[in-house]
Each structure stands twice: as structure tokens, then as C-alpha cells.
């Protein structure tokens, strides 16, 4: 019943000589929200970036091990990067819309992938904005510059932009840490709706956020995954003492 | 987020309702079995209690997860505390129904007294009605109704005392009744305790509304015992 979407095996990653991940195993399941938690510099963001090969852009970054998406290694030479990133979209900590109109932000991906017809693009823009729960707020001024709206709205524009190319997986690297509580609540609500159709992986520094919305949680520490389990299990009765200490704030 | 939280809370609410109905059914059956000397019905109450206990565990587990995962505060937190504490009281009521059923299985064949059994039957009727009413009051968070129900505990106490007195009188008159009447006294005590648990649930309903933990029907006045 549970379909395994991503399978990470013995993944090691170096930035130059620094080993940031020490052989990590991780399983991510379809239509679930998987949260990565752990202190700063423990490898959460590093790992999430390997899931759509964003690390390719980092100089001196080298990896060993495998990341499989639907059973196929994404680091194999046969993999087309554009195709991979179409299937595995990403949303970042700081809302980063392009300095273009709202419409063009959403249409950017589909255009890159060859969709030219106006009515088709219109449809995709509306659908994506609706999915990102921001259509009603922006539908009357799609020509406005995306940078002119609030941070919370910008982040939902970025989510809509990621959804416009119909990915399977949505990676979110601290998507609410730059937002106020109301915008955060909106994004959380949205993410929980999106898991019906997507597989979501989220890095968060906010443990309450992980506990509130995720199905599974992986706890990272110093480049290792100490524990991964169902969130309800991990937050009520973790197996590892280090996990317990971290989530109950007794760390250090 | 609110939506998810409220869904979970509603789930607990309906689980409590179902558990309450089962407990009330167990009480009804246990007393019916006792006065009808129906050993089979008594056995079924004991078997059903396993389900009641399971339901309580599920409820508790649900509460623990909600607290750990959602960090509720104010009324949200009080709701969870209320359902957790009230379900423990329900579970104890179920245990007393089991105790009554064990008495039924034990006393079969002993000499009985119809008049006292009629009183037990009456007390059972009353406690069952109180049990149903308290579950309804809980579902509606009706603290006024809860207080009214708690007041009816007085009637239960009076009836239980009457059963005890009558049992002792009958034992004096007819020693052959000692075995049977001992169970009458036990059963009257179980019913009386059920009334106390219902009072506890009333207190938790009040707690939910007011945020204050208060005692209803305190029985700390020892002067009435004639010492």
C-alpha cells in the first residue's frame, strides 16, 4: 500500500575535504510528508539538495552512494537533469520569485518545457495558483510584479511555480522560517492538502511544525540520521536517547 | 492546522461517546443479569469489558499523541484533559459492572430476597439513566446539566444505604440469606461507586467550561455517621 518514492542508500557527501554526510540511509514514501529535523549544520539541507541534484551546482561537492527515485538512481549518467528537476521541484527558505509578473513566474517552468499556447498556459497558471491556495488573492492582478506582494504570498507563488511543471516530489527547505505565524499556518495547511497529490520532503527548524504536519520524521545529527520513524512514534516515544534529548530541548 | 486538530478532537469525542454507550450497556446488563440470576448474560458483560478497556487505551493513546504533536493550549488542552480523565472514570464504571457480574455468577443457587432485589433493580435503573445523561451532557459540554446529574447521586446513596440496611436486617432474621445478602451489600456498594464516578465526570465537564477543578458532592462530613 505504501509506495516507496525515494530510497537513499549509504550516501556520503563531501564539500571539498569536509564530509557532510557519513553514509545515510533514508526512505521516503509517496503521498506522505517527511520532515527533516536537527540542529544547524547537521546535513538536513545538504541531503534534501541531493534529492534533485542541486548539489551538482556546488563546486568541489562529491558524493558516493545512491539516491533512487521510483527505483532508478538519479545519479546515473542516463538521467536528464531538466527532467529530474521537473519531477522533483523545490521551494526555498526565502521566497524567491523572479522579478517578473505573477503570471510569468508560474508560466516560466511550463514555457521552458515547451508549452507555448496561451490558453494552455492560462489553464496551468490558474490550476497551480489554486493548488497553492493563492488564486483568490491574486487572480485580479496576475500582471503585478511578484515581488510586490507579501512574503507569505510570495512563498505561495513559489509553491505554485514549483507545482506548475507537475512534479511528483516537492522539496521544501525551511519554507516558513521567513514568514509570520499566520502565513506559516497557511503554508502548513496547504502542504497538508498537497500531500494528497505529491510526495513532500521538508526541512524545518521548527520541531512543532514537524510534529504538527509530517507523517514521518528523520532526525539528523552531525551528518548522520540518528533516527527515522513515524512522526507520532518519534515524538511520543523515540528509540534513541539523542533524539529524545533534541526534541525535548535538553540538547548539549 | 486547526482543521486537522479539530478532526482529531472530534474523533476522540465520538470514541468517548461510543465508549460511554458500551459502559452504560454493561451496567444495564450486569444488573439485569444479577436480578434475573442470568449467569450467561453476566459472563457476556465480563467478556465485553475487554473491549471497553481497549477503547480506553485507544482514547488515551489519541490524547497523548495530540498533546505531543499539536501542543494544545487553553480550551483545546482542557478538552483533551477532560476526555482523558472522564474516560478513566467510565472505564472504572465498566469494572464495577464486571464486579456485579462476578457476584451474579457466584451467588446463583443461594437463597434470594425479592424485595431487596427489587431495590437493587431500581438503583440499577437510576444509575443507568444517570450514565446515559452524563454521556449526553459530556457530548454537549453542558455543565448545567452535569451539575444536575451530580445532584442525583444523593438518591443513589440513599438507595444503596437502604439496600445495606435491609440486607443486614434480613440476614439477622434468616441466616440462610447471609451468603446471598452479602452480595446484595457488595452490589449496592458497586452501584454507589458508579454514582461517584458519574459525579467525577460531571466535575470534568465543569472543568472544561470553567478551567477550575472542583469537587461536587463531597462526603467528608463524618458527623452523619454518628461518631
Amino acid at each position: 500500500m505504501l509506495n516507496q518514492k525515494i530510497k537513499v542508500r549509504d550516501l556520503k557527501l563531501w564539500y571539498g575535504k569536509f564530509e557532510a554526510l557519513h553514509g545515510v540511509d533514508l526512505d521516503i514514501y509517496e503521498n506522505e510528508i517527511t520532515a527533516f529535523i536537527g540542529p544547524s549544520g547537521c546535513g538536513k539541507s545538504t541531503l534534501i539538495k541531493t534529492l534533485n541534484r542541486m548539489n551538482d551546482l556546488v563546486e568541489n561537492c562529491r558524493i558516493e552512494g545512491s539516491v533512487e527515485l521510483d527505483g532508478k538512481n538519479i545519479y546515473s549518467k542516463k538521467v536528464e537533469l531538466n527532467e529530474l528537476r521537473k519531477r522533483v521541484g523545490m521551494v526555498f527558505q526565502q521566497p524567491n520569485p523572479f522579478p517578473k509578473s505573477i503570471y510569468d513566474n508560474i508560466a516560466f517552468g511550463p514555457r521552458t518545457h515547451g508549452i507555448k499556447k496561451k490558453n494552455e498556459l492560462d489553464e496551468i497558471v490558474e490550476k497551480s495558483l489554486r493548488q497553492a491556495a493563492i488564486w483568490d488573492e491574486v487572480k485580479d492582478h496576475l500582471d503585478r510584479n511578484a515581488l510586490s506582494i507579501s512574503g507569505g504570498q510570495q512563498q505561495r507563488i513559489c509553491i505554485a511555480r514549483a507545482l506548475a511543471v507537475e512534479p511528483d516530489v516537492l522539496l521544501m527547505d525551511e519554507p516558513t522560517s521567513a514568514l509570520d505565524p499566520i502565513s506559516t499556518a497557511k503554508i502548513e495547511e496547504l502542504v497538508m492538502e498537497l500531500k494528497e497529490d505529491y510526495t513532500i520532503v521538508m526541512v524545518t527548524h521548527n520541531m512543532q511544525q514537524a510534529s504538527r504536519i509530517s507523517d514521518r520524521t528523520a532526525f539528523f545529527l552531525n551528518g548522520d540520521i540518528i533516527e527515522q520513524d513515524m512522526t507520532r512514534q518519534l515524538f511520543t516515544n523515540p528509540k534513541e536517547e539523542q533524539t529524545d534529548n533534541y526534541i525535548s530541548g535538553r540538547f548539549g | 492546522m486547526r482543521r486537522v486538530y479539530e478532526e482529531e478532537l472530534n474523533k476522540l469525542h465520538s470514541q468517548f461517546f461510543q465508549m460511554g454507550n458500551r459502559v452504560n450497556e454493561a451496567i444495564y446488563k450486569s444488573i439485569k443479569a444479577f436480578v434475573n440470576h442470568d449467569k450467561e448474560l453476566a459472563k457476556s458483560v465480563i467478556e465485553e469489558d475487554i473491549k471497553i478497556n481497549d477503547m480506553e487505551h485507544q482514547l488515551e493513546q489519541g490524547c497523548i499523541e495530540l498533546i505531543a504533536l499539536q501542543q494544545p493550549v487553553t480550551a483545546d488542552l482542557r478538552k483533551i484533559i477532560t476526555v482523558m480523565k472522564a474516560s478513566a472514570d467510565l472505564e472504572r464504571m465498566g469494572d464495577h459492572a464486571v464486579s456485579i457480574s462476578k457476584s451474579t455468577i457466584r451467588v446463583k443457587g443461594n437463597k434470594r430476597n425479592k424485595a431487596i432485589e427489587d431495590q437493587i433493580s431500581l438503583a440499577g435503573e437510576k444509575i443507568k439513566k444517570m450514565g446515559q445523561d452524563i454521556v449526553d451532557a459530556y457530548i454537549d459540554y453542558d455543565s448545567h446539566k452535569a451539575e444536575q446529574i451530580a445532584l442525583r447521586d444523593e438518591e443513589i446513596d440513599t438507595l444503596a444505604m437502604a439496600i445495606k440496611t435491609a440486607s443486614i436486617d434480613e440476614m439477622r432474621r434468616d441466616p440462610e440469606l447471609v451468603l446471598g445478602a452479602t452480595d446484595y451489600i457488595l452490589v449496592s456498594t458497586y452501584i454507589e461507586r458508579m454514582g461517584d464516578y458519574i459525579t467525577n465526570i460531571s466535575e470534568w465537564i465543569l472543568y472544561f467550561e470553567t478551567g477550575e477543578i472542583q469537587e461536587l458532592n463531597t462526603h467528608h462530613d463524618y458527623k452523619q455517621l454518628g461518631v
Side-chain angles (χ1 to χ4, degrees):
Chain A
M1 211 180 68
L2 270 183
N3 198 3
Q4 186 164 29
K5 194 73 189 171
I6 296 176
K7 184 165 147 188
V8 177
R9 284 295 175 271
D10 198 20
L11 190 75
K12 293 183 180 147
L13 183 145
W14 291 265
Y15 294 120
K17 283 185 179 158
F18 174 70
E19 188 176 306
L21 294 173
H22 312 307
V24 164
D25 293 337
L26 177 72
D27 299 307
I28 290 167
Y29 295 89
E30 197 164 53
N31 300 116
E32 282 194 346
I33 301 172
T34 302
F36 293 177
I37 60 168
S40 294
C42 62
K44 311 180 293 287
S45 293
T46 296
L47 181 63
I48 203 172
K49 282 187 196 119
T50 66
L51 303 181
N52 73 346
R53 290 181 57 176
M54 294 289 283
N55 53 305
D56 284 12
L57 307 170
V58 181
E59 223 176 306
N60 290 328
C61 179
R62 185 166 62 83
I63 75 151
E64 261 176 30
S66 68
V67 176
E68 288 179 9
L69 174 66
D70 290 329
K72 296 205 175 77
N73 191 352
I74 63 169
Y75 285 91
S76 124
K77 292 210 171 62
K78 280 179 247 159
V79 168
E80 170 68 46
L81 255 190
N82 274 339
E83 187 55 29
L84 172 69
R85 293 194 184 135
K86 179 175 180 288
R87 288 179 63 197
V88 185
M90 190 147 187
V91 176
F92 298 86
Q93 176 176 2
Q94 285 293 337
N96 57 352
F98 304 129
K100 293 166 177 278
S101 72
I102 293 171
Y103 187 98
D104 287 340
N105 262 277
I106 312 302
F108 185 86
R111 277 177 181 143
T112 312
H113 291 283
I115 296 171
K116 295 276 184 292
K117 283 192 196 132
K118 172 92 169 75
N119 58 345
E120 252 179 87
L121 284 172
D122 285 355
E123 222 170 85
I124 292 171
V125 169
E126 177 172 345
K127 186 176 164 221
S128 309
L129 289 169
R130 279 189 191 281
Q131 276 191 308
I134 193 172
W135 172 251
D136 289 336
E137 289 161 59
V138 299
K139 64 176 181 217
D140 297 324
H141 36 259
L142 293 176
D143 53 347
R144 254 175 82 174
N145 190 311
L147 291 171
S148 69
I149 56 179
S150 79
Q153 289 174 323
Q154 286 184 23
Q155 192 62 307
R156 277 177 287 150
I157 293 291
C158 293
I159 293 172
R161 185 177 64 189
L163 298 178
V165 294
E166 300 187 321
D168 293 355
V169 181
L170 199 53
L171 308 177
M172 307 180 103
D173 194 353
E174 295 189 56
T176 64
S177 61
L179 306 180
D180 69 274
I182 305 283
S183 302
T184 298
K186 276 188 187 157
I187 302 274
E188 288 184 5
E189 192 90 38
L190 167 63
V191 169
M192 296 195 70
E193 279 167 23
L194 290 176
K195 78 168 181 179
E196 302 284 320
D197 300 309
Y198 304 91
T199 301
I200 293 167
V201 185
M202 182 190 274
V203 170
T204 177
H205 268 121
N206 180 337
M207 269 175 302
Q208 279 71 41
Q209 181 167 68
S211 76
R212 279 194 298 264
I213 72 172
S214 70
D215 299 289
R216 270 169 220 273
T217 299
F219 168 55
F220 287 67
L221 190 62
N222 299 330
D224 285 308
I225 292 182
I226 303 296
E227 185 166 355
Q228 49 183 315
D229 209 334
M230 298 304 290
T231 299
R232 67 175 62 172
Q233 176 67 31
L234 197 115
F235 277 86
T236 54
N237 193 13
K239 293 187 186 70
E240 302 297 330
E241 198 184 347
Q242 285 168 307
T243 315
D244 199 331
N245 287 342
Y246 181 71
I247 60 182
S248 45
R250 284 192 297 263
F251 217 63
Chain B
M1 213 41 45
R2 288 296 314 169
R3 195 171 44 82
V4 176
Y5 183 78
E6 266 154 28
E7 275 170 20
E8 289 296 315
L9 213 51
N10 283 339
K11 210 156 70 186
L12 291 179
H13 223 55
S14 79
Q15 282 177 341
F16 182 88
F17 182 67
Q18 286 166 20
M19 182 178 165
N21 286 344
R22 267 188 194 267
V23 168
N24 287 325
E25 201 178 299
I27 293 170
Y28 171 75
K29 282 185 183 166
S30 67
I31 290 163
K32 191 175 168 196
F34 186 79
V35 296
N36 292 341
H37 315 182
D38 186 342
K39 218 169 167 173
E40 287 309 309
L41 188 59
K43 276 185 193 160
S44 79
V45 171
I46 296 170
E47 281 157 11
E48 285 280 309
D49 191 56
I50 297 167
K51 279 184 203 146
I52 292 173
N53 291 348
D54 283 348
M55 287 174 110
E56 199 216 354
H57 290 158
Q58 269 183 29
L59 255 174
E60 282 173 338
Q61 190 60 36
C63 291
I64 290 167
E65 279 172 16
L66 262 189
I67 293 171
L69 303 182
Q70 306 283 345
Q71 298 94 30
V73 293
T74 65
D76 293 336
L77 179 61
R78 294 208 303 277
K79 261 185 198 171
I80 294 184
I81 299 297
T82 302
V83 78
M84 210 164 163
K85 298 290 287 187
S87 65
D89 290 327
L90 273 184
E91 193 271 332
R92 295 292 291 149
M93 286 162 68
D95 286 348
H96 285 309
V98 167
S99 299
I100 293 173
S101 302
K102 285 182 178 165
S103 287
T104 306
I105 293 167
R106 205 164 41 226
V107 301
K108 184 120 200 218
N110 288 338
K111 197 171 178 186
R112 316 288 291 245
N113 180 300
K114 177 77 168 61
I116 296 174
E117 289 188 354
D118 284 348
Q119 277 188 304
I120 289 175
S121 198
L122 177 67
E125 269 301 311
K126 281 184 189 288
I127 205 77
K128 188 198 107 195
K129 188 75 186 43
M130 276 171 75
Q132 284 168 343
D133 289 347
I134 202 68
V135 170
D136 289 344
Y138 174 87
I139 292 301
D140 300 334
Y141 288 127
D142 187 338
S143 58
H144 175 71
K145 199 168 158 189
E147 269 181 298
Q148 296 301 312
I149 296 164
L151 288 177
R152 280 150 59 189
D153 188 42
E154 201 65 32
E155 293 173 44
I156 300 292
D157 289 352
T158 309
L159 259 174
M161 190 49 87
I163 294 165
K164 278 178 193 158
T165 313
S167 300
I168 290 165
D169 287 349
E170 288 302 312
M171 284 194 253
R172 282 203 182 104
R173 243 179 17 88
D174 180 1
E176 270 188 64
L177 253 176
V178 167
L179 272 181
T182 306
D183 273 307
Y184 295 158
I185 293 173
L186 279 175
V187 169
S188 74
T189 307
Y190 298 142
I191 294 174
E192 191 265 320
R193 290 300 293 152
M194 286 176 181
D196 295 344
Y197 286 119
I198 290 171
T199 305
N200 285 352
I201 297 175
S202 304
E203 290 168 1
W204 287 115
I205 295 170
L206 281 173
Y207 164 75
F208 169 68
E209 189 158 287
T210 63
E212 277 171 48
I213 297 172
Q214 47 195 310
E215 285 271 313
L216 299 170
N217 310 337
T218 49
H219 296 279
H220 295 155
D221 183 6
Y222 54 82
K223 289 187 185 103
Q224 68 188 18
L225 300 175
V227 284

